[in-house]
Each structure stands twice: as C-alpha cells, then as structure tokens.
Amino acid sequence: MAPPPVRDGRIARDPAGRIHAWYAEETEQYGHGALGDSIEALALLVREGDGKPALYRITGGEVFEDLEPRIVDLDNEPNGRPEIVTIVASAEEGAAIAVFSLGRDRNGDPALVRLATSSHIGTPFRWLNIAGIADFDGDGFTEIAYVDRPHIRGELVFLEWRGGRLREQERAGGYANHHGGSTVQDLSEVADVDRDGNPDLLLPDRGYRHFVALGLGAAGIREILRARIPGAPVSAVVRSGPDGVAYLDAEGRLYRLSWAP
C-alpha cells in the first residue's frame, strides 16, 4: 500500500485524471514552518493509472517544503509525458525548485528521476513559492514563475525550462504570493489578460494593496494591469469566468477582479 500524503498535503492530478502525485513520509528534521508547522516531506510519489506508484526519497539533508506537486508538460511535446515540479529546501542553502520525470527502472518498475534543480536561495530557512507555470513569452519554452522569499524579499523570478535545464530569465521586486504560516499557496493565477495570445501572471504586490497582471517578453517583465483591492487574499485565487479571478479576504468577503473591456 502506498504511503498517504503528509499532513495538509494535497494530491495533484493531471487534467486527464490518470496521473496522481503527492508528498509522503513526514519529517521534522528541517524545522522551518513556512507552511504552518514543522512537518515536511521526505518522499515524492507519482502514480499513473492504477499502477504501482513510483517513489523518490530525498536525501542529503533536503526536504520537500511544499504541499502539492505540480504535474506539467514542461516540454510541450505532442503526446509527451509530463514533468513533476516541486519545491525542495535544505538547512544549508534554503529553497529551490526541483523537476522530476516519471519513467521505468531496469526492472521495468515505475521510477522517478530528478532532472534538474534551480539555484538555491542561498540562505538557510528561506523559502520560495511558485506563482505560475506557462510559456509566458510565447517563444515555445515554458517558464516557471516563483516569488523569492514572499514574506521578506518579494522578488518575482521567471525560470525558463529549455533543454532539460532551468535558467533564470527575468527578476523584479515588489510582489508576494504567500502569508507566513499559511497552508494556502495559490495566491496567483495565469490568464491572457491583454489578449495577445500569451498567458500573463496575476498576483498581489508586496503590501497586498493591489493585484497586478504581468506579461513577459523580449523587453522583460511589463505591467499590464494594477487594481486596488480592499483586502489581502487568504483563500486560493481562482478563475471567475473568462475575464476575472476571485478570492476571499480575512473577513470572509468575496472579491472579484475583472479585466473585461
């Protein structure tokens, strides 16, 4: 029997519902608590269909400092297999993004391979939170957007996935997408706000006074929209129709941001 998800962990599913991924094997060895408690995960599990799950157990003092893996086809290949995007952390170097692929070992059993790891933040007990994954600049290569230290630094970083490697593409300060100690990581959304055919990233600014829509292009990061909001989002930010997002603030009030013309 496969081990269950860690406390507060969520099972990710691909759009077709055939691939499931989750974190397991609780540990308190890291002791940071960015996501509400000192419990992190030592293992990543991925199951395809009704088959045996593949398990990757992290070593070297690292943990998975994350609650739900992301199942994404980073290569955008026809009939390609998706990758698994995770957040890892170590007491020596802090957090980083790690990408895994699902394959087979020499015995034909499902196996996970760690394909690439981004540069670590470089400071112990400092975290990053993924904001969105898409081909934001329309060049055929996928970017992973994350906020470096959303509680204290607030730099938005775009990493490009190309040739099986992660390369930092752009970085800009002034953004946030997580409240310290919260289990809610989804304070952002991806949508084509300016209708140019490329996805854009929506997320709060550092003070949670505005929601900002950003595009990525040859000239770097550009601001498309900045809307004043009455309260910081504490729930997940979700799509609300084709031209909007919605969330709840700390008082339980529903707020909707629309970019319809």
Side-chain angles (χ1 to χ4, degrees):
M1 180 179 295
V6 295
R7 189 179 312 176
D8 297 319
R10 298 179 289 271
I11 299 175
R13 296 169 175 82
D14 72 320
R18 284 198 47 80
I19 300 176
H20 299 74
W22 67 97
Y23 299 115
E25 298 188 7
E26 295 181 354
T27 179
E28 296 187 47
Q29 71 181 41
Y30 188 50
H32 183 203
L35 291 164
D37 56 35
S38 60
I39 294 173
E40 309 300 347
L42 288 174
L44 169 68
L45 285 94
V46 180
R47 170 185 280 149
E48 188 169 15
D50 297 325
K52 177 182 177 182
L55 183 149
Y56 183 96
R57 186 173 288 109
I58 206 163
T59 59
E62 281 188 311
V63 298
F64 290 102
E65 194 172 13
D66 199 11
L67 294 177
E68 182 178 347
R70 297 140 201 89
I71 304 171
V72 186
D73 184 6
L74 295 179
D75 299 320
N76 293 317
E77 296 177 349
N79 301 318
R81 298 176 67 83
E83 284 72 41
I84 314 299
V85 181
T86 70
I87 302 173
V88 299
S90 78
E92 289 74 34
E93 300 179 289
I97 291 172
V99 178
F100 296 81
S101 69
L102 179 62
R104 299 279 174 177
D105 63 18
R106 63 184 61 186
N107 298 318
D109 293 324
L112 285 166
V113 177
R114 188 166 177 169
L115 297 178
T117 305
S118 71
S119 297
H120 287 73
I121 286 175
T123 304
F125 306 112
R126 294 293 180 261
W127 190 61
L128 62 84
N129 190 31
I130 293 174
I133 304 175
D135 180 6
F136 289 103
D137 56 6
D139 66 353
F141 297 97
T142 302
E143 285 80 36
I144 301 172
Y146 70 86
V147 178
D148 179 348
R149 285 160 276 195
H151 317 128
I152 58 176
R153 184 167 184 171
E155 280 195 318
L156 176 64
V157 181
F158 285 91
L159 295 178
E160 184 181 70
W161 175 260
R162 185 185 294 219
R165 300 180 63 185
L166 292 167
R167 178 185 68 88
E168 184 173 319
Q169 189 169 349
E170 295 290 343
R171 179 184 289 256
Y175 305 98
N177 67 339
H178 184 258
H179 303 289
S182 172
T183 59
V184 178
Q185 294 179 251
D186 305 322
L187 302 187
S188 56
E189 186 55 275
V190 175
D192 185 4
V193 176
D194 59 4
R195 298 177 175 81
D196 67 350
N198 294 330
D200 306 307
L201 180 67
L202 295 103
L203 78 169
D205 62 7
R206 277 282 323 267
Y208 291 97
R209 296 183 178 89
H210 302 87
F211 226 86
V212 186
L214 302 168
L216 181 68
I221 301 170
R222 60 186 177 86
E223 186 171 307
I224 300 167
L225 175 151
R226 177 176 290 262
R228 184 84 179 184
I229 56 177
V234 297
S235 72
V237 174
V238 298
R239 291 296 294 271
S240 177
D243 299 308
V245 293
Y247 67 85
L248 297 175
D249 68 10
E251 303 300 322
R253 295 172 297 195
L254 177 67
Y255 179 73
R256 185 176 186 271
L257 167 66
S258 175
W259 54 86

